[in-house]
Amino acid sequence: MEMLHTKFKGKEADNWRYGHFIQHAKLGYSMIAYVNLAELGPVRPETICQFTGLIDNHSNEIYPDDILETPDGNRLRVYGTSGGFVIKAWAWAGDLSDLVPGDDLIFEALSDPQVRSFIDQCKVIGNIYDNPQIKEV
């Protein structure tokens, strides 16, 4: 069994940083790259996302706040919650904005084989930071 490393991403200005999450009192929220430990830099706190451990049908890593498209054109948004990761579908909620009470969600663990098989057919088409309009379309 392969051991998974916890991986994060966060956005600084126009670039995404990937690696370990570090919170430093003087620097603010930062990331440290896996390959080059010298690449430490601040990121916007609201953009910090933990890797779900899943990839799409084009081998792109899936993170919270990513927007996925299903083979039949439906859109899904991935959310990070205190209990793990959930998905909200445009078809159920009418939008992909922030979670609100009463939203219909996929609560099954994203590691569940059936859910994973479904996610494997989807593709990441953007995220709410690089494509803010995508959650309203």
Side-chain angles (χ1 to χ4, degrees), residues 61-131:
E61 295 176 337
I62 299 174
Y63 289 85
D65 296 326
D66 279 348
I67 306 295
L68 308 178
E69 189 171 80
T70 65
D72 60 359
N74 284 319
R75 292 188 177 174
L76 313 169
R77 179 173 167 190
V78 180
Y79 295 85
T81 67
S82 59
F85 304 101
V86 296
I87 294 174
K88 177 178 173 181
W90 172 269
W92 302 329
D95 68 40
L96 296 176
S97 59
D98 293 334
L99 294 175
V100 295
D103 279 343
D104 288 324
L105 306 170
I106 296 176
F107 277 109
E108 291 81 11
L110 295 185
S111 59
D112 176 90
Q114 286 183 315
V115 174
R116 186 176 288 263
S117 175
F118 170 73
I119 297 296
D120 285 346
Q121 299 173 42
C122 298
K123 67 179 176 180
V124 175
I125 60 169
N127 63 63
I128 66 164
Y129 306 108
D130 294 331
N131 319 95

Side-chain angles (χ1 to χ4, degrees), residues 1 8 18 32 41 52 56 58 77 85 88 97 108:
M1 176 180 233
F8 293 85
Y18 296 83
I32 205 167
T52 64
D56 73 359
H58 295 289
R77 179 173 167 190
F85 304 101
K88 177 178 173 181
S97 59
E108 291 81 11

